Amino acid sequence: EVQLVESGGGLVQSGGSLRLSCAASGFTFSLYGMGWFRQAPGKEREGVAYISPNGITGYAESVKGRFTISRDNAENTLYLQMNSLQPEDTAIYYCAAGGWSLVPRFYNYWGQGTQVTVSS
């Protein structure tokens, strides 16, 4: 059974940092593209960052230079380092497996999400 379990969310002040983790199991993690997505209340789910099996990355314009996606294939874990957080980054953050883009429909598996709240 494929499982993706996010952790690391929480409440942080504007300008602060958080690191999200996504523990993967039930599939060969190293062979899959992975992505981070977020969904704010009343908004559609949007792509934040993706990473290919061999480490090629891509980012949404809104997070470039602030967020960094990475993966540890030995630990089957995906990360998202988020710096200089702003209130507009407040959302539920999801990790996903199976795609290689910022488009949600290209991903096969999804985690349950972790809440990130940035106070001003």
Side-chain angles (χ1 to χ4, degrees):
E1 178 189 3
V2 172
Q3 284 195 324
L4 298 170
V5 180
E6 301 95 337
S7 61
L11 174 63
V12 64
Q13 288 188 334
S14 181
S17 298
L18 284 173
R19 188 174 84 152
L20 305 183
S21 299
C22 173
S25 61
F27 63 103
T28 307
F29 179 77
S30 61
L31 298 181
Y32 277 68
M34 300 292 297
W36 285 101
F37 294 80
R38 65 187 181 186
Q39 188 165 18
K43 294 189 176 181
E44 292 188 355
R45 191 169 297 190
E46 64 172 353
V48 174
Y50 65 85
I51 186 167
S52 73
N54 60 355
I56 296 171
T57 59
Y59 297 90
E61 285 296 324
S62 59
V63 306
K64 274 184 181 178
R66 300 189 299 124
F67 291 11
T68 302
I69 189 172
S70 62
R71 64 191 299 160
D72 184 337
N73 288 339
E75 295 294 329
N76 291 347
T77 303
L78 179 72
Y79 299 101
L80 185 68
Q81 177 67 44
M82 304 186 295
N83 299 328
S84 301
L85 283 161
Q86 301 300 317
E88 53 265 35
D89 295 316
T90 295
I92 299 174
Y93 283 71
Y94 300 89
C95 74
W100 189 0
S101 78
L102 296 176
V103 180
R105 71 174 183 271
F106 293 145
Y107 288 76
N108 306 106
Y109 308 112
W110 292 84
Q112 293 291 94
T114 186
Q115 177 71 48
V116 171
T117 303
V118 185
S119 64
S120 56

